[in-house]
Amino acid sequence: MPDNQIPITELQGAKTVPFDKIYLDPNNPRIAPEDPPGYTNPDALFNDELQGPLEAKVRSVYEVTSLEESILTHGWVPIDSIIVWEHPDRPGYYVVVEGNTRTVALRALRGERLERERKKLEKVKKSRFGEEVKVQEETVRRLEEIVEKTSMLRVFPVAATTVEQLQAILPRLLGVRHISHAKE
């Protein structure tokens, strides 16, 4: 069998999961806080209060705004799937292993950007400028379509049922994904 047809044993088949059950990984060395929580405690791993600082760190490391604009312009195209790990002690909750920038961009578009554009539409409607209203309505429509298309997101789960398995798989999996190699 040619190499490009050998299954990737580190990943399970694609799965559709709720977008709001996907969390940035506070252990990811590119964005982790000084004292990362590890993977054993799901309460620490899926702490909502950690997500804001992690998003800010992703924004400081990667060009998220350009990706947001691209998704807004072209729609959500899941060409490069998000890779996640489902915690064995918290079924239905997923840690992003690969796809932080896409996750942060989608969160922004689905949340603050959609809210801001809806408010802008209401203001524009009061001004009664027909063309400006149409442009703003189209922006809101595109954002609502992105929300609809990403409420359930197609992801690839890591084939690890324990923290130890995850930690054994991550260096190889991320080493393939990052040209400059995965950080320790």
Side-chain angles (χ1 to χ4, degrees):
M1 177 179 293
D3 284 348
N4 66 349
Q5 293 181 5
I6 295 173
I8 300 171
T9 58
E10 288 86 356
L11 296 178
Q12 298 173 5
K15 181 176 183 177
T16 304
V17 303
F19 183 78
D20 64 355
K21 297 297 184 189
I22 296 174
Y23 290 77
L24 298 175
D25 183 0
N27 301 294
N28 180 318
R30 296 175 193 270
I31 62 171
E34 268 188 46
D35 189 24
Y39 293 104
T40 56
N41 180 350
D43 290 335
L45 191 59
F46 299 109
N47 180 338
D48 287 328
E49 291 178 17
L50 277 176
Q51 294 300 295
L54 291 174
E55 285 183 29
K57 183 70 178 206
V58 168
R59 287 187 176 283
S60 74
V61 174
Y62 302 103
E63 184 54 46
V64 179
T65 305
S66 294
L67 180 58
E68 288 174 19
E69 292 307 315
S70 178
I71 294 170
L72 180 57
T73 300
H74 303 289
W76 173 247
V77 182
I79 255 172
D80 195 9
S81 294
I82 294 173
I83 299 172
V84 299
W85 178 60
E86 183 176 16
H87 199 284
D89 296 334
R90 186 74 54 91
Y93 285 74
Y94 303 87
V95 174
V96 175
V97 171
E98 180 63 31
N100 294 304
T101 310
R102 285 166 276 150
T103 301
V104 170
L106 285 173
R107 281 183 181 175
L109 291 170
R110 296 169 50 85
E112 62 193 43
R113 179 72 182 265
L114 176 56
E115 186 178 322
R116 186 172 68 239
E117 297 296 345
R118 282 179 172 157
K119 286 178 182 175
K120 184 177 177 181
L121 176 59
E122 292 309 311
K123 287 181 183 177
V124 170
K125 281 182 176 179
K126 291 176 184 174
S127 67
R128 298 187 176 131
F129 294 115
E131 190 57 36
E132 193 175 343
V133 170
K134 287 180 186 178
V135 168
Q136 192 60 29
E137 284 174 337
E138 177 60 19
T139 299
V140 170
R141 186 200 63 75
R142 286 195 319 264
L143 286 164
E144 289 171 342
E145 184 177 284
I146 290 166
V147 169
E148 183 182 326
K149 285 186 174 184
T150 62
S151 63
M152 295 296 289
L153 202 60
R154 182 177 171 262
V155 298
F156 282 91
V158 174
T161 56
T162 67
V163 171
E164 293 77 19
Q165 288 175 348
L166 176 68
Q167 290 173 325
I169 290 171
L170 282 179
R172 175 173 147 69
L173 189 61
L174 296 177
V176 169
R177 297 289 302 162
H178 297 278
I179 301 289
S180 62
H181 69 76
K183 292 185 177 183
E184 290 292 324

